Amino acid sequence: MSARNILLLSSSRLHGYGYLEHARAQLEDLFKSKNVKTVLFVPYAGRNHDKYTETVRSALQPWGYAVEGLHNKVDKAQALRDAQAIFVGGGNTFVLLRTLYELNLVEPIRELVLERGLPYVGSSAGTNVATRSIHTTNDMPVAYPPSFEALALVPFNINPHYLETDANTNHKGETRDERIEEFVAYHKRPVLGLRESNFLRIQGDRATLLGTRAAKLFKADGAAEEYAPQADLSFLLQQ
Amino acid sequence: MSARNILLLSSSRLHGYGYLEHARAQLEDLFKSKNVKTVLFVPYAGRNHDKYTETVRSALQPWGYAVEGLHNKVDKAQALRDAQAIFVGGGNTFVLLRTLYELNLVEPIRELVLERGLPYVGSSAGTNVATRSIHTTNDMPVAYPPSFEALALVPFNINPHYLETDANTNHKGETRDERIEEFVAYHKRPVLGLRESNFLRIQGDRATLLGTRAAKLFKADGAAEEYAPQADLSFLLQQ
Ligand SMILES: [Ca+2]
Ligand SMILES: [Ca+2]
């Protein structure tokens, strides 16, 4: 059994809430279960690492958690080994993954999370890189990473910020569903469309959908199915 | 002076028109100027190459142009050298560019268009690969190409299917403008946002905006400017 202790957010922001505020209960559940006092933040999906770390600190500090930035650590592998929990923030998925490869952090993070149970929280791009590949990011490919293969903390793909595109538009660019179906057609692999109000909680070999709305699973065979909050999605881990 | 003779479409479909119908005048202008009777179609952005070629044939044949598919040619480099004009269709930009690299067609196409004046028509993904890189595609990265560097028939980037995202949405994913601005912030290079009704015509060192709406230029310094139809955009070629 895997030591996984993971919380994947679709988005760090939800309409009507402050930064991370909609995720507070889920974050605190995870942090308290492991007696986490300090969170190591991974800011590489963003442009200004100091400012981004400050944003996260402003959200978590009032709840009682200290926040440090991985970019400020000289020995990053050691900092990860010492960490009580890591939070990988959103921004640009391509920039994030390229930086993780450049800093040789892909394997260390993967090992710490899968084998030593390091608590991992990801949001948006931080959720994309937690999956098997970044093939299903919504981001513009502004940077070229050495691979689209990612941390593979889970063996399927997620599309964060998932939403159905307005079918009444006159616009001819692909809808979100068409984009995801294009991935499924090429790869024959499932994609979980995670709406902005939703989370995926993974504990060992158990995966549970959390949040207030349904999630849409695009299945490997081309069909799709909606799952309600609290649904057991553990079958997605068995691949 | 470059031998370029290029027509770049934002989209092969425009609301209210049949496939390629909105572009008929521009296509015929280009084809007639070179006495083109047969168009060599490059279907690699699509999934079913035969069916896709048939779609293009159904559109161009009634106007008097024969259509052949590059995928049916055994010696593709020779077919390109023999071609009167090529049309690179839309679909998935990552799949298209990866296939062009796999088939070793990037350099041959580039040389034929820039030095021998082979007429090039691109739409959507076919427009993305005509530019210096595919960093500004809207497509989902379903395939991993060996590089994001593209044909570089023009030295700037284009965002096809450009549109302003509804500012009143509650959705927190990036807007199109934010995505393009993210590219500009990292690369300090201009991006032409080409709305679906628009075309860019390039003859030698002259570039002209065609179509019925304005195009939005995201400049290297972070500013943006709208250009009306018929605007001379030749300055974008001087980089
Ligand atoms: Ca993003
Ligand atoms: Ca496309």
PDB file of all heavy atoms in Angstrom, chain A residues 91-92 124 139, chain B residues 174, ligand 1:
ATOM      1  N   GLY A  91      -0.250  28.401 -11.435  1.00  0.00           N
ATOM      2  CA  GLY A  91       0.439  29.375 -12.283  1.00  0.00           C
ATOM      3  C   GLY A  91       0.534  28.746 -13.652  1.00  0.00           C
ATOM      4  O   GLY A  91      -0.469  28.363 -14.228  1.00  0.00           O
ATOM      5  N   ASN A  92       1.750  28.566 -14.161  1.00  0.00           N
ATOM      6  CA  ASN A  92       1.892  27.907 -15.455  1.00  0.00           C
ATOM      7  C   ASN A  92       2.505  26.511 -15.277  1.00  0.00           C
ATOM      8  O   ASN A  92       3.613  26.361 -14.765  1.00  0.00           O
ATOM      9  CB  ASN A  92       2.734  28.761 -16.412  1.00  0.00           C
ATOM     10  CG  ASN A  92       2.729  28.155 -17.813  1.00  0.00           C
ATOM     11  OD1 ASN A  92       3.393  27.161 -18.063  1.00  0.00           O
ATOM     12  ND2 ASN A  92       1.923  28.737 -18.699  1.00  0.00           N
ATOM     13  N   SER A 124      -4.310  23.574  -8.995  1.00  0.00           N
ATOM     14  CA  SER A 124      -4.208  23.957 -10.414  1.00  0.00           C
ATOM     15  C   SER A 124      -2.959  23.342 -11.059  1.00  0.00           C
ATOM     16  O   SER A 124      -2.877  22.123 -11.176  1.00  0.00           O
ATOM     17  CB  SER A 124      -4.244  25.477 -10.523  1.00  0.00           C
ATOM     18  OG  SER A 124      -4.448  25.895 -11.840  1.00  0.00           O
ATOM     19  N   ASP A 139      -3.097  25.286 -19.514  1.00  0.00           N
ATOM     20  CA  ASP A 139      -2.182  26.417 -19.659  1.00  0.00           C
ATOM     21  C   ASP A 139      -1.607  26.565 -21.053  1.00  0.00           C
ATOM     22  O   ASP A 139      -1.553  25.608 -21.823  1.00  0.00           O
ATOM     23  CB  ASP A 139      -1.029  26.285 -18.658  1.00  0.00           C
ATOM     24  CG  ASP A 139      -1.479  26.595 -17.243  1.00  0.00           C
ATOM     25  OD1 ASP A 139      -2.482  27.306 -17.080  1.00  0.00           O
ATOM     26  OD2 ASP A 139      -0.829  26.113 -16.307  1.00  0.00           O
TER      27      ASP A 139
ATOM     28  N   GLU B 174      -7.350  31.196 -16.129  1.00  0.00           N
ATOM     29  CA  GLU B 174      -6.874  32.392 -16.825  1.00  0.00           C
ATOM     30  C   GLU B 174      -7.754  32.732 -18.037  1.00  0.00           C
ATOM     31  O   GLU B 174      -8.236  31.849 -18.723  1.00  0.00           O
ATOM     32  CB  GLU B 174      -5.441  32.200 -17.344  1.00  0.00           C
ATOM     33  CG  GLU B 174      -4.383  32.134 -16.274  1.00  0.00           C
ATOM     34  CD  GLU B 174      -4.038  30.704 -15.893  1.00  0.00           C
ATOM     35  OE1 GLU B 174      -4.712  29.778 -16.391  1.00  0.00           O
ATOM     36  OE2 GLU B 174      -3.109  30.524 -15.093  1.00  0.00           O
TER      37      GLU B 174
HETATM   38 CA    CA C   1      -2.585  28.346 -15.025  1.00  0.00          CA
END
